Amino acid sequence: MRVTMSVIKADVGSIGGHTKPSSAMMARAHDRIASAVKDGTLIDGMATYTGDDIALLMSHTHGEGAAKVHDFAWDTFKSITEIAAKEGNYGAGQDLLVDAPSGNVKGAGPAVVEIEMDRDAAHRPAEAFLVFAGDKCAPGAYNLPLYLSFCDPMHNGGLLLSPVLHKGFTFTVIDMDHKSRDSDRVIELNVPEQVWDLATLLRDPDRFAIEKIHSRAHPEEQAVSVAATRLHNVAGKYTGKDDPVALLRVQAIFPAPEEVVEPWATIHQIVTGDCRGSHNMPIMPVAINTAVTGPYCLPLVTCLGFSMDKEGRFTHDYVDFFGNPAWDQVRLDIQKKALEFRRQGFFGVTMASQAELSYTGLAETMEALDSSFGLRTDMAAQTGVVSSDAKDPD
Ligand code: MG
Ligand code: MG
């Protein structure tokens, strides 16, 4: 049986600022999912939130990019937007950037990840997978953790211990600066052979993001899908941070959950996002359904683990990986690092890169100041420096 797991998320409004969706908004999401399961659109599904983003987790048999599923998600977010607007919530419908997408919400604002899989594959009797959701950050936030889990034995000893993992992976990396409605600019790189080429791209997370990772032992099997579209490319201006989701299949031919969550504990990665999407701070792993309330909107990431049965059902139970005391010390360390950064305010590396800021009001100020700059040509008169020809001989 071919089953597709789709996760589609959007920020369609939140209470008291960029915090979390309201209870009524979440109730509408739960109701919509329940009716879609009942009428057979979905096999199974659930709705969660991470900060101000609602994620719809859905299994079905319609394949990737199916109009039936994408239209359902779009209509659900539209319906939730009505509640958000009625309640006066902040940013109602914020991520719904076009009026009517033609059966596919990719490029219309919501973040999308999908993986189609064969639930009868002999090499994969159990289907374990993780759903990551990030708030106040961009798709490149997954670059470093995924690189470390899939390429670096210092963070994933399984790459040495498992003969299947040892065969390596194929990364698909997307150039997010390529702004076209008709094409994506992508490259495929095989690791371990091209690991430094991969690193060269991934070190620029504002521009390049991992979009997919496939097993090389089983090339038909996709391990990872990351939502790697930039909202500012869709809208042409800053309309909120991308807040990407990621879907990771784990165990057996893929890394284990403990190997993919390890970098989130050890590196305390600084990402672009935070307040106004314009600052750099470390991203904090938190329990599912956590509101953003910290100073300067510290970026958050959640991680749920599921098992899917042979019929494609997965919501019978789940594990909240970051909602555990094992992560308490990590959170404290990250908060400490974040406050260190905040002491530097807007200056230098604590604010986002110039490329990211080009979508903000800073660009307008720079443009206005630019016309007031003048060129000083009489350097000698200004500095008092005397040319060597005029010097008195010793
Ligand atoms: Mg928001
Ligand atoms: Mg958000």
Side-chain angles (χ1 to χ4, degrees), residues 11 52-53 135-136 243:
D11 173 355
D52 57 14
D53 299 301
D135 189 29
K136 317 293 182 240
D243 304 340

Side-chain angles (χ1 to χ4, degrees), residues 224-236:
V224 173
S225 175
V226 176
T229 46
R230 303 298 313 269
L231 285 176
H232 62 52
N233 289 351
V234 181

Side-chain angles (χ1 to χ4, degrees), residues 349-385:
V349 295
T350 52
M351 225 181 211
S353 69
Q354 206 56 39
E356 289 295 293
L357 296 174
S358 63
Y359 294 91
T360 70
L362 209 61
E364 287 167 38
T365 309
M366 281 300 290
E367 208 178 314
L369 289 173
D370 198 52
S371 59
S372 300
F373 270 86
L375 295 177
R376 187 165 59 204
T377 52
D378 185 4
M379 299 303 286
Q382 294 290 334
T383 60
V385 172

